Amino acid sequence: MVAFLSKDELDAIAEFEESARHAASMQAGLLSSILHHNASCAYLQQHGMDGLSDVGSFKSRVPIVDPEDLHPLIQRIADGDCSGLLTSSPITSMLLSSGTSSGRSRLVPATTELRQITLKRFFLSNAIIKRDLSIFEAGKSLNFIYAGKLLTKKGGLKAGSSSTHHLRSGVHLDRLPQWTSPLGVVLGPNVRQSMYCHLLCGLLQAEEVTVISSFLAYGITEAFRFFEDVWEELCNDIATGTLSCRITDDSVRGATLERLQRDPQLAEKVHSECVKGWSGIIKRLWPNVIYINTIVTGSMEPYVPYLKNYGEDVPIVCGDYGSSECTVGINLSPISPPEKVVFTLVPYAAYFEFLPLNQEGGTTTDLTELEVGKEYELIVTTVAGLYRYRLGDVITVTGYYHALPQFRFARRSNVMLSINTDKTDERELCEVVKRVSKRLKGGNMDLLDFTSHADHSSRPGHYTIFWELKNTACTNDYILIQCCQDLDAFFNDPYQRGRAAGTIGPLELCIVKEQTFQNIMVFVLESGASPTQYKTPRCINSVALLNILRTSVLCVYTS
Ligand code: AMP
């Protein structure tokens, strides 16, 4: 084994290898210990588990549930009920999972053990990256990371995204020397101001940066789009050693000023590279970058072309697959390109069941009996008191690593758009938009972001697709009319039948003003979502968000 990994890192990899060989027994053992530990909790009692801890009794007595089914119990915990409703372990905090189409987050109870598993996964993942990319010496990471807010629930528990809890708990403080930004920037209350300072600190330490990262690909894409707007201001700050007046928050300002020193030569270099254009800018400004680290699968796929443009041949390492509820999979081949990323199940993270898609009866399969090529919905039982809980994700099994299933993230299981019998999910929407938006290049237009809405207020109802283009000053009507026709023509067969029968109305393509998607983000973040975990909602139903979209429409095309 490679000598540059520490003993702890080698042990973490060896432990995972061992668990991969004994995955089935490990899963049965984990379930049994969860059930033993929580035998007295109200939920398991209510379902007649009576101290039983075998898989058969568990599956026959405890139902599969949706997050909404558990909401009343979880709300009681948040309100201060400590009577062991779901778990005998003390609940240490409440996690807010990323928003849904309504812009609302799910509440998830967290325990110390859940957090330890997440940290263990981060550690393992870093060890694998270090091993596979032969990283001998850690440089610095330009990490577009934002702490977000912690709210206090009625019962006193703090609620926030898992990244917010981690960052505000101080657990990551020992890693700060590896980040180019000081803590004051990470904890800043305003995402745009922190983003600016992340860029500035990253440029000031350009030679030392070996990784550019964000939790989700949107984070890096958005930061570099912003860089395109503010690079002259950044150059001015570096040339003069003063900080732009756009940074109004005292703590962010103070923390950044401590790093800022006048460096006219660096300013000149940044200026000369930026005027050359944005393709390959990462390697030109951060010459020692080894890789980009961020999630590029699922709803993050649309951002891959942007990362490839900014990074050119810098490898993109796709982050692991997890949720607030539990860790799910790890990327064992960090050097695989985004489109080839598969995850390997982490067998000590939760007890996993797999519900085959399109099958009557709701019988789950365990990890040893999955069919390669088939899609399954993930059902998890966690160390923090969720039992047979629908995570809401669909995976496609690609094979096995020893006894552990490997899979691609397929999509969220929810249907996003539906007027009649048509059911359009996130993956289909993303694929249709990706296919159609290729036409934009012909008119020198570029799609920045998109979302959708099934409008039931008209008769018949119809799909509305909202696009924000990079430069709305020079849109090409002819091409946009064609895009609108194509969007309408490329959705699924039931959609086409509905259109032909007149039960679905003509599709609307709305071009919105620049910055509209930033305004959507700001609104969602102000409602308590985490900036680090923020994902553009691909379907919007909330009245407030629709209002932002509708008041920003520049022109409408109808198929
Ligand atoms: P959150 O609870 O806010 O962390 O969101 C968790 C959800 O994000 C998961 O259930 C997935 O739908 C999505 N997600 C997390 N990691 C990945 C990944 N590597 N690839 C695709 N989707 C992911």
Side-chain angles (χ1 to χ4, degrees), residues 95-99 105-106 108 121 161-163 215-216 294-300 318-326 328-329 341 343 378 391-394 409-413 426 530 533-535:
L95 303 180
L96 284 175
S97 77
S98 48
S105 301
R106 288 194 307 265
V108 180
R121 183 247 294 181
S161 71
S162 51
S163 55
F215 178 51
L216 299 165
T294 189
I295 289 177
V296 285
T297 36
S299 62
M300 292 299 117
C318 179
D320 301 321
Y321 168 26
S323 67
S324 306
E325 289 84 351
C326 63
V328 179
V341 170
F343 300 103
L378 278 176
L391 206 53
D393 292 339
V394 176
F409 178 91
R411 59 183 179 277
R412 293 288 299 171
S413 59
E426 179 171 353
S530 147
Q533 281 159 259
Y534 175 76
K535 309 171 183 83

Side-chain angles (χ1 to χ4, degrees), residues 48-120:
M49 281 304 284
D50 248 349
L52 295 167
S53 63
D54 62 292
V55 177
S57 310
F58 179 60
K59 287 193 180 176
S60 62
R61 294 173 192 218
V62 178
I64 294 176
V65 287
D66 284 317
E68 292 72 36
D69 300 328
L70 288 188
H71 186 72
L73 275 182
I74 294 179
Q75 194 56 53
R76 275 173 61 188
I77 297 173
D79 289 346
D81 188 332
C82 307
S83 62
L85 293 174
L86 288 169
T87 169
S88 306
S89 300
I91 303 295
T92 50
S93 56
M94 301 301 281
L95 303 180
L96 284 175
S97 77
S98 48
T100 56
S101 60
S102 64
R104 255 207 345 254
S105 301
R106 288 194 307 265
L107 264 185
V108 180
T111 61
T112 305
E113 202 183 351
L114 182 75
R115 186 163 132 163
Q116 280 164 350
I117 293 174
T118 310
L119 294 176
K120 187 168 163 179

Side-chain angles (χ1 to χ4, degrees), residues 25 33 37 143 150 179 242 253 267 318 341 348 449 493 526:
S25 59
S33 94
H37 180 68
N143 196 351
L150 280 179
W179 292 344
T242 57
R253 234 189 132 74
C318 179
V341 170
Y348 50 74
D449 225 327
D493 288 348
E526 279 172 0

